[in-house]
């Protein structure tokens, strides 16, 4: 399998987002998740993504329980600064908090080093330079190998990169969420920063398997902070956009999920090089196996281009997050 670079790290072209095994999509099933993580490594995944926020550390503990005995087989990414305090999401990017959370993550993950450590969200009260400075100290101490940022603007990335090289920027990117195309992808290319798309399958929407909004369960993030696009009326209208994609998937003998994911995998930079490393998340073994099958889809530049015209932000009803969520984002949209 080909490898793609994230700083000094080399990973498979598709990583595994681990959040949904412990957080955001209803009840967890630890035995199934343990089996999934091991079968994912067997299938060729070698890039696992977790965070302090996911299940209040439970997701990190799950990874340790499942695959710590196979630590040499995967690149491990986690995140700091976003967590729940008194039941409410809190952002704290102060150096002392970053250090404390890193130490706690290392213990939960039962590892000596985290390969890629992200600032999960920008703390508006703390200059990015201070947060990255703290992360740089952790690199020097050998506790983390590479620094990443999550959900930031290109201006913030530039400021952070002036303090220490930023190996990765993680943000939502898919056929129906194209915000990174405004500036971020170009800036990442110029700085040598790898872009890591999360939710490349649109929180299951682009797979055609998503339930109608009225059927979403309690504890499912699509019922609250991602509600706008999954509201019953918006969901019905957005679903019409999948019909031409289903026809193309049939022609290419792949599933809708594989088609949508292959579109992300085959995005090219200005030199024609494919560098993105999407991290679709799932807690279902069959979906994990289906997703890695996207690497075998026979995508041509013409198909990639055609898909780009069939579904994009201007055609989609609803924002990707609720109004409250959007207000606390370091959004690129505010800078164009």
């Amino acid at each position: 399998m080909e490898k793609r670079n994230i700083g000094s790290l080399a990973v498979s072209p598709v990583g595994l987002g681990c959040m949904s095994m412990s957080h955001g999509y209803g009840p967890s099933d630890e035995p199934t998740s343990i089996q999934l993580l091991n079968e994912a490594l067997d299938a060729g995944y070698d890039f696992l993504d977790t965070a302090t926020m996911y299940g209040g550390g439970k997701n990190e503990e799950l990874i340790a329980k499942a695959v710590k005995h196979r630590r040499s087989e995967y690149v491990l990414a986690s995140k700091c600064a976003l967590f729940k305090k008194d039941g409410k999401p809190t952002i704290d990017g102060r150096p002392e908090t970053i250090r404390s959370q890193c130490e706690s993550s290392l213990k939960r993950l039962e590892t000596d080093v985290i390969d890629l450590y992200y600032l999960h969200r920008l703390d508006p009260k703390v200059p990015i330079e201070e947060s990255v400075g703290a992360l740089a100290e952790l690199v020097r101490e050998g506790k983390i190998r590479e620094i990443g940022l999550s959900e930031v603007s290109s201006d913030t990335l530039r400021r952070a990169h002036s303090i220490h090289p930023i190996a990765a920027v993680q943000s939502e990117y898919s056929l129906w969420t194209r915000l990174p195309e405004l500036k971020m992808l170009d800036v990442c290319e110029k700085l040598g920063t790898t872009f890591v798309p999360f939710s490349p399958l649109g929180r299951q929407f682009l797979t055609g398997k998503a339930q109608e909004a009225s059927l979403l369960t309690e504890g499912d993030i699509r019922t609250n902070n991602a509600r706008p696009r999954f509201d019953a009326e918006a969901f019905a209208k957005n679903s019409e956009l999948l019909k031409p994609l289903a026809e193309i998937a049939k022609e290419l003998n792949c599933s809708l999920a594989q088609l949508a994911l292959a579109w992300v995998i085959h995005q090219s930079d200005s030199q024609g090089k494919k560098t993105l490393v999407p991290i679709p998340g799932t807690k279902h073994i069959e979906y994990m196996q289906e997703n890695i099958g996207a690497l075998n889809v026979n995508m041509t530049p013409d198909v990639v281009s055609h898909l780009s015209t069939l579904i994009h932000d201007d055609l989609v009803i609803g924002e990707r997050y609720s109004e409250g969520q959007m207000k606390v984002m370091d959004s690129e949209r505010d800078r164009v």
Side-chain angles (χ1 to χ4, degrees):
M1 186 182 294
E2 71 162 296
K3 298 290 185 179
R4 297 188 179 181
N5 295 323
I6 300 178
S8 61
L9 312 168
V11 300
S12 52
V14 176
L16 179 64
C18 300
M19 181 188 80
S20 61
M21 300 177 209
S22 309
H23 178 91
Y25 286 88
S28 303
D29 181 347
E30 185 176 281
T32 297
S33 295
I34 289 173
Q35 181 182 350
L36 187 158
L37 285 161
N38 279 280
E39 291 191 17
L41 297 185
D42 294 339
Y45 290 90
D46 63 6
F47 181 37
L48 306 183
D49 182 274
T50 183
T52 292
M53 177 68 173
Y54 303 161
K58 296 295 185 184
N59 196 243
E60 293 177 320
E61 292 173 351
L62 170 68
I63 290 174
K65 186 173 184 178
V67 294
K68 68 175 181 180
H69 63 292
R70 304 178 66 175
R71 182 64 182 88
S72 63
E73 298 179 41
Y74 57 91
V75 168
L76 178 60
S78 192
K79 310 178 194 74
C80 63
L82 177 63
F83 58 101
K84 281 192 175 181
K85 184 176 182 181
D86 299 327
K88 296 182 180 180
T90 301
I91 301 172
D92 186 346
R94 293 177 298 166
E96 57 268 32
T97 299
I98 290 172
R99 174 171 291 278
S100 173
Q101 291 192 344
C102 180
E103 297 286 359
S104 295
S105 288
L106 287 166
K107 290 178 182 177
R108 287 191 293 265
L109 290 162
E110 297 185 44
T111 187
D112 295 328
V113 62
I114 298 171
D115 300 306
L116 174 62
Y117 201 48
Y118 292 93
L119 184 74
H120 205 159
R121 290 290 187 275
L122 176 68
D123 185 341
K125 302 183 296 298
V126 180
I128 187 62
E129 292 82 359
E130 290 186 19
S131 296
V132 172
L135 292 167
E137 287 185 12
L138 293 172
V139 172
R140 289 190 289 271
E141 293 170 12
K143 293 177 179 178
I144 66 176
R145 290 198 170 96
E146 299 286 357
I147 296 173
L149 304 176
S150 179
E151 289 279 31
V152 298
S153 68
S154 57
D155 290 344
T156 297
L157 170 58
R158 288 182 186 277
R159 288 170 55 196
H161 195 79
S162 70
I163 302 301
H164 187 281
I166 303 300
V169 165
Q170 180 181 122
S171 192
E172 186 172 354
Y173 184 55
S174 67
L175 277 165
W176 81 338
T177 299
R178 310 282 278 279
L179 186 61
E181 294 177 358
L182 293 177
K183 285 186 180 180
M184 183 57 77
L185 295 180
D186 287 342
V187 174
C188 281
E189 180 181 354
K190 290 174 182 175
L191 298 179
T193 298
T194 301
F195 188 80
V196 177
F198 70 72
S199 296
L201 297 176
R203 297 182 176 84
Q204 201 183 39
F205 173 80
L206 294 169
T207 72
K209 302 183 184 80
Q211 306 172 67
E212 291 187 12
S214 60
L215 301 179
L216 296 176
T217 59
E218 183 68 26
D220 190 310
I221 61 172
R222 293 169 293 183
T223 66
N224 44 66
N225 66 358
R227 185 71 179 185
R229 292 183 174 185
F230 287 91
D231 178 76
E233 184 176 352
F235 184 87
K237 292 180 180 178
N238 289 333
S239 294
E240 292 295 311
L241 298 172
L242 295 178
K243 292 181 178 179
L245 272 66
E247 295 177 5
I248 295 173
K250 185 176 181 180
E251 292 174 4
L252 294 178
N253 193 31
C254 67
S255 68
L256 263 175
Q258 290 170 336
L259 181 71
L261 189 52
W263 177 86
V264 178
I265 294 167
H266 284 80
Q267 292 301 304
S268 301
D269 63 19
S270 64
Q271 306 301 312
K273 187 176 180 181
K274 300 177 180 67
T275 63
L276 273 59
V277 184
I279 49 170
T282 185
K283 59 181 179 179
H284 302 283
I285 293 173
E286 64 270 30
Y287 296 166
M288 175 273 291
Q289 296 284 3
E290 178 184 11
N291 289 344
I292 203 165
L295 295 173
N296 300 320
V297 177
N298 184 25
M299 293 286 282
T300 65
D302 286 344
V303 172
V304 172
S305 179
H306 183 47
L307 288 171
S308 298
T309 67
L310 291 177
I311 179 169
H312 51 78
D313 294 78
D314 292 341
L315 300 176
V316 174
I317 305 298
E319 291 285 353
R320 66 189 181 101
Y321 283 129
S322 66
E323 184 177 352
Q325 283 285 106
M326 293 298 289
K327 285 181 179 179
V328 300
M329 293 289 181
D330 182 35
S331 176
E332 198 80 82
R333 193 180 301 278
D334 297 332
R335 292 162 170 78
V336 294

